[in-house]
Amino acid sequence: MDISKKTSNDKQATPECKYPVLPVGQKFSVDFGGQQSLHGNWQVAENDEAPFYLCKRVFENGTLSRRRSADHRRQFFESEIYRALGEKT
């Protein structure tokens, strides 16, 4: 019986983008889901690890939050952002 073991040479599968990469500065509004801290306006801050986007909260006056807490910086998956953009229109 041959048992295969995972070695450091094995490559892990990385998810691929199904949609075009969103630009930094793309704003979207989240008003779905059960987690209340996600609700509000967000902006894409980094798109280096697409399809996962690091986003920052946008305040009512239009400025970005500089806080590093989980309530003000989140990593969204591309489908969540496209869902939020689709519900806006």
Side-chain angles (χ1 to χ4, degrees), residues 33-86:
Q35 194 170 359
Q36 191 65 31
S37 63
L38 291 179
H39 291 238
N41 297 322
W42 294 87
Q43 180 175 333
V44 175
E46 293 179 15
N47 62 0
D48 299 334
E49 298 178 12
F52 297 101
Y53 295 89
L54 180 66
C55 300
K56 293 183 178 182
R57 186 174 293 278
V58 179
F59 294 124
E60 290 180 7
N61 63 1
T63 60
L64 285 178
S65 174
R66 292 184 290 168
R67 296 180 186 165
R68 297 184 61 88
S69 69
D71 289 340
H72 294 267
R73 288 176 60 123
R74 288 287 174 125
Q75 194 171 31
F76 286 96
F77 190 67
E78 68 180 3
S79 62
E80 295 172 314
I81 298 173
Y82 278 102
R83 178 179 173 195
L85 291 172

Side-chain angles (χ1 to χ4, degrees), residues 11-29:
K11 293 183 181 179
Q12 294 181 356
T14 57
E16 296 181 13
C17 294
K18 293 182 181 179
Y19 304 104
V21 176
L22 293 167
V24 172
Q26 173 71 48
K27 293 184 180 179
F28 59 97
S29 179

